[in-house]
């Protein structure tokens, strides 16, 4: 057979006469892309499918710039074994969970604010009346602006997220006021701390629970006394019956009485009830804005006492164990609450006259019973001070508005001998000596009276800028609690904040509390004496010396005469 060959011009002429077909062209192009490589057997079509699938599943921001990298990764994965099922699983970055929580928080606050815009005029008036009972949230963004002017505060992005988180706290929890206290650093995570005042209903509920938990009923002690008397009567009756029935036995030698410990622990110091003293405020914490706020428990005097003797960094885990000496009762949430109470009492400062008592007069305080507490509110007639007075090194224009914590761990002194004095009779004059009540600086005491720290001042005042005096503010930094700062402008704005590790300054090297010396278990006397253990030779000599005497030997002929005498008698 003869073969005919077409030259290139003939092929072009033939293609010009054929009508273009899109489906045919796609099939031809797809077949061209599916040509297998002679070395590996792969096709360009399958490779492009895998690259596009990987890009769509991960959705990178810049697809064009990272296309070659994805192409290389697809080729790299083909060298792995086929039984590896984790190749196609996409793991989301850890930041994605944080973003989702923040987005949920933003949506919650936005839906709450959008509700007012969707209401009618009458419904808006009713809702405005309800707003008077809504919690008051301190303007953190405004205060943080002044802190940033003084060189402190939070970054703007972090400050905005925390402020929205405070709004979320006001929506979900029964609070009346919300204020950002500060930020506590931790080794694994940090704590954002919110200081709140509870609503009247919630505060009453907690007070009732506190009274039911810490104050036993009136009839409990009487029932215990009656049960003890019945047991004593049964023992006496049993002893009398035993004496009649038992025969007389030889009286054993009288032994010395077993020593009994005379140590009596001091009476436990009562906890101040919710809404009073160190538990006047309630603290909520969270590790990240958007996470649920966790309420810290009330602090006890013993926890404050141990926290003063301890230096420990936070870990970021509220359930972490606190290993210290003296032993601390509770977990890190209790230790954090104790540190917050100490920081609040020492670093809550304001310009003189910024706060005042509600009625203008101090309320009476019963030091013995611990009833009553001084309450103060912002002074509506406060006009501010000059910048020169606010940055005066003598600090006479700054005062403490935090309640001083006594050595007992309370703000109101409790008399431990109050119960003993009531039980004594009037004729008996041998009662315990009266105790001198502990006292500390009064409320609104000036910072000039603060104790000095190793020859230095407790607070360092300075101006935010000297170039523009009209826009300058006064900033105070604490040297006792590093991280505590306060600001005040020449107007009516002032606030304090703490951002630090929650540790008090220790100028000398910290020395932990030493273990107490071991006490004498028994009083050394003739009844209780230490003796050396006997040796084996001593024990053997004692045994031989106390052996029973041998029987006397029988004389010869004595045993033979007895039967003869009996015969004679018969």
């Amino acid at each position: 057979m003869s073969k005919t060959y077409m030259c290139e011009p003939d092929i072009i002429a033939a293609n010009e006469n054929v009508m273009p077909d899109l489906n045919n062209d796609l099939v031809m192009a797809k077949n061209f892309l599916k040509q297998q490589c002679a070395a590996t057997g792969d096709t360009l079509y399958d490779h492009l499918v895998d690259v596009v699938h990987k890009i769509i599943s991960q959705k990178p921001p810049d697809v064009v710039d990272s296309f070659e990298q994805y192409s290389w990764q697809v080729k790299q994965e083909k060298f792995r074994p086929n039984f590896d099922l984790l190749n196609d699983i996409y793991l989301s970055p850890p930041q994605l969970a944080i973003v989702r929580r923040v987005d949920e928080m933003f949506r919650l606050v936005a839906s709450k604010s959008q509700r007012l815009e969707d209401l009618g005029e009458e419904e808006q008036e009713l809702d405005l009346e309800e707003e008077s009972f809504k919690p008051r949230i301190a303007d953190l963004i405004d205060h943080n602006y002044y802190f940033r002017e003084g060189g402190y505060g939070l970054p703007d992005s972090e400050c905005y997220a925390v402020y929205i988180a405070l709004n979320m706290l006001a929506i979900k929890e029964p609070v009346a006021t919300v204020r950002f206290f500060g930020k506590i650093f931790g080794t694994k995570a940090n704590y954002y701390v919110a200081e709140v005042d509870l609503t009247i209903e919630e505060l009453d509920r907690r007070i009732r629970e506190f009274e039911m938990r810490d104050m036993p009923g009136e009839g409990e002690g009487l029932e215990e006394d009656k049960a003890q008397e019945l047991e004593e009567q049964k023992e006496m009756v049993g002893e009398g019956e035993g004496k009649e029935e038992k025969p007389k036995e030889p009286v054993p030698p009288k032994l010395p009485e077993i020593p009994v410990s005379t140590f009596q622990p001091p009476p436990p110091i009562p906890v101040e009830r919710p809404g009073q003293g160190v538990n006047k405020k309630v603290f909520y914490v969270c590790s990240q804005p958007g996470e649920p706020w966790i309420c810290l428990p009330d602090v006890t005097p013993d926890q404050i006492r141990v926290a003063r003797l301890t230096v420990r960094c936070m870990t970021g885990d509220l359930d972490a164990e606190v290993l210290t000496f003296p032993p601390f009762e509770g977990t890190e949430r209790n230790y954090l609450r104790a540190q917050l109470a100490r920081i609040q009492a020492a670093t809550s400062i304001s310009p003189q006259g910024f706060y005042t008592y509600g009625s203008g007069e101090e309320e009476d305080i019963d030091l013995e019973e611990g009833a009553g507490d001084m309450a103060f509110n912002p002074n509506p007639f406060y006009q501010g001070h000059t910048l020169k007075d606010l940055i005066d090194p003598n600090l006479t224009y700054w005062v403490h508005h935090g309640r001083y914590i006594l050595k007992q761990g309370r703000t109101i002194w409790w008399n431990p001998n109050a119960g003993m004095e009531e039980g004594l009779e009037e004729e008996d004059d041998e009662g315990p000596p009266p105790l001198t009540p502990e006292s500390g600086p009064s409320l609104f005491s000036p910072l000039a009276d603060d104790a000095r720290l190793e020859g230095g001042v407790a607070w360092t005042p300075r101006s935010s800028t000297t170039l523009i005096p009209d826009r300058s503010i006064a900033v105070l930094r604490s040297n006792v609690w590093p991280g505590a700062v306060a600001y005040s402008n020449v107007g009516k704005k002032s606030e304090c904040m703490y951002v630090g590790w929650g540790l008090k300054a220790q100028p000398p090297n910290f020395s932990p509390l030493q273990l107490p010396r071991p006490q004498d278990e028994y009083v050394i006397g003739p009844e209780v004496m230490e003796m050396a253990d006997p040796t084996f030779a001593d024990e053997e000599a004692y045994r031989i010396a106390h052996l029973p005497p041998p029987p006397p030997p029988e004389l010869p002929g004595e045993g033979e005469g007895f039967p003869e005498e009996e015969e004679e008698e018969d």
Side-chain angles (χ1 to χ4, degrees):
M1 296 178 62
S2 62
K3 297 182 180 179
T4 57
Y5 298 92
M6 298 177 64
C7 61
E8 185 177 356
D10 297 335
I11 296 174
I12 296 174
N15 292 335
E16 290 179 355
N17 297 330
V18 177
M19 297 295 293
D21 187 1
L22 181 60
N23 295 330
N24 187 27
D25 294 342
L26 290 176
V27 171
M28 293 178 63
K30 192 173 182 180
N31 293 333
F32 175 76
L33 295 176
K34 285 186 175 182
Q35 293 179 0
Q36 293 183 351
C37 177
T40 60
D42 297 334
T43 64
L44 179 60
Y45 181 83
D46 296 336
H47 178 72
L48 292 176
V49 170
D50 295 339
V51 172
V52 172
H53 177 72
K54 193 176 187 64
I55 291 175
I56 293 176
S57 61
Q58 298 188 7
K59 297 180 180 179
D62 299 326
V63 182
V64 178
D65 298 337
S66 57
F67 182 81
E68 292 80 3
Q69 181 180 359
Y70 279 94
S71 176
W72 177 82
Q73 290 179 0
V74 169
K75 289 184 178 181
Q76 189 81 3
E77 290 174 357
K78 291 184 178 180
F79 292 101
R80 299 177 183 175
N82 297 328
F83 58 83
D84 191 355
L85 303 178
L86 299 178
N87 291 336
D88 298 334
I89 296 178
Y90 170 68
L91 299 178
S92 60
Q95 294 83 358
L96 183 60
I98 300 176
V99 171
R100 287 175 178 173
R101 287 197 301 265
V102 173
D103 181 67
E104 182 182 357
M105 176 183 65
F106 286 170
R107 291 179 184 276
L108 174 64
V109 178
S111 62
K112 191 72 175 180
S113 60
Q114 186 70 21
R115 188 171 62 87
L116 276 177
E117 299 180 2
D118 299 338
L119 297 177
E121 296 181 357
E122 298 180 356
E123 295 178 347
Q124 285 184 359
E125 293 178 359
L126 295 175
D127 195 80
L128 289 175
E129 293 179 359
E130 295 179 358
E131 281 189 352
S132 59
F133 301 99
K134 289 184 178 181
R136 299 189 304 272
I137 304 173
D139 194 352
L140 175 60
I141 297 177
D142 187 26
H143 291 310
N144 191 68
Y145 167 78
Y146 290 100
F147 279 117
R148 293 292 300 274
E149 288 290 321
Y152 303 97
L154 302 175
D156 293 337
S157 58
E158 184 179 5
C159 173
Y160 184 77
V162 172
Y163 182 66
I164 299 300
L166 295 178
N167 284 268
M168 184 183 69
L169 173 63
I171 294 172
K172 291 187 175 182
E173 301 295 338
V175 297
T177 61
V178 181
R179 170 183 167 269
F180 180 67
F181 180 84
K183 182 179 179 180
I184 305 293
F185 297 134
T187 56
K188 298 179 181 178
N190 304 327
Y191 292 116
Y192 293 94
V193 184
E195 178 186 295
V196 306
D197 285 319
L198 299 176
T199 58
I200 299 176
E201 296 79 8
E202 179 65 15
L203 183 60
D204 293 341
R205 185 187 66 82
R206 294 197 179 191
I207 292 175
R208 288 194 300 269
E209 292 181 356
F210 172 79
E211 293 176 351
M212 294 175 61
R213 181 179 65 252
D214 296 347
M215 296 183 181
E218 298 178 358
E220 293 180 2
L222 298 176
E223 294 177 357
E224 293 177 358
D225 296 340
K226 290 181 180 179
Q228 187 175 0
E229 290 178 1
L230 291 175
E231 291 180 359
E232 293 177 356
Q233 291 177 2
K234 291 180 180 179
E235 292 177 358
M236 293 175 64
V237 172
E239 291 177 0
E241 295 175 355
K243 289 181 180 178
E244 295 177 358
E245 296 177 358
K246 291 182 180 179
K248 294 183 179 180
E249 296 180 357
V251 180
K254 186 177 181 181
L255 298 176
E257 297 180 358
I258 299 176
V260 179
S261 176
T262 59
F263 172 75
Q264 293 182 356
I269 302 174
V271 183
E272 292 180 310
R273 65 172 178 81
Q276 186 184 59
V278 292
N279 295 321
K280 179 75 174 179
K281 300 289 185 178
V282 179
F283 292 93
Y284 284 82
V285 297
C286 69
S287 297
Q288 290 288 341
E291 292 184 354
W293 290 91
I294 301 174
C295 181
L296 297 180
D298 291 339
V299 66
T300 62
D302 186 68
Q303 292 172 352
I304 294 179
R305 180 186 64 83
V306 177
R308 286 171 169 169
L309 304 174
T310 306
V311 173
R312 179 184 180 276
C313 293
M314 305 296 172
T315 62
D317 182 12
L318 292 176
D319 297 327
E321 188 177 4
V322 180
L323 300 176
T324 61
F325 180 80
F328 185 83
E329 183 182 358
T331 59
E332 186 169 297
R333 67 178 69 235
N334 303 98
Y335 181 74
L336 175 61
R337 180 64 180 85
Q339 292 295 92
L340 292 177
R342 298 176 61 200
I343 296 172
Q344 182 193 36
T347 63
S348 297
I349 61 175
S350 58
Q352 187 179 17
F354 188 81
Y355 289 102
T356 184
Y357 298 105
S359 59
E361 298 179 358
E362 296 185 5
E363 299 179 3
D364 297 333
I365 300 177
D366 190 352
L367 294 177
E368 295 183 356
E369 298 181 359
D373 197 3
M374 291 184 292
F376 55 89
N377 296 310
N379 186 6
F381 304 104
Y382 174 72
Q383 298 297 330
H385 300 283
T386 62
L387 184 64
K388 182 179 179 181
D389 294 337
L390 293 174
I391 62 175
D392 184 12
N394 296 326
L395 300 176
T396 55
Y397 289 88
W398 289 86
V399 297
H400 286 278
H401 64 264
R403 296 167 176 82
Y404 180 78
I405 302 178
L406 304 174
K407 292 182 179 180
Q408 283 188 340
R410 293 167 52 97
T411 59
I412 301 175
W413 186 72
W414 171 75
N415 186 5
N417 295 336
M420 301 174 61
E421 293 174 356
E422 294 177 358
L424 295 175
E425 297 180 358
E426 296 180 357
E427 299 178 358
D428 189 3
D429 297 337
E430 297 180 358
L435 298 178
T436 303
E438 295 182 14
S439 61
S442 60
L443 204 63
F444 299 153
S445 60
L447 269 63
D449 299 339
D450 288 5
R452 303 178 68 86
L453 183 69
E454 289 293 322
V457 294
W459 294 87
T460 301
R462 68 178 181 86
S463 174
S464 62
T465 177
T466 57
L467 302 177
I468 310 176
D470 297 339
R471 299 186 61 86
S472 179
I473 61 174
V475 181
L476 265 70
R477 177 176 57 87
S478 175
N479 298 322
V480 179
W481 289 93
V485 293
Y487 86 89
S488 177
N489 59 1
V490 295
K492 299 182 179 182
K493 290 186 177 181
S494 178
E495 187 58 276
C496 49
M497 179 189 295
Y498 180 84
V499 179
W501 288 91
L503 299 176
K504 191 175 181 179
Q506 299 285 343
N509 294 331
F510 172 72
S511 298
L513 189 65
Q514 299 296 325
L515 293 173
R517 296 184 61 183
Q519 298 181 357
D520 295 334
E521 188 175 3
Y522 304 110
V523 179
I524 301 300
E527 298 85 2
V528 181
M529 294 293 292
E530 293 185 0
M531 300 178 64
D533 293 338
T535 62
F536 176 76
D538 296 338
E539 292 179 352
E540 190 67 16
Y542 179 84
R543 186 184 66 80
I544 295 173
H546 290 77
L547 287 175
E554 295 182 357
L555 296 176
E558 292 182 355
E560 299 176 356
F562 290 108
E564 293 179 356
E565 293 178 357
E566 291 178 358
E567 292 177 357
E568 292 177 357
E569 291 178 358
D570 294 336

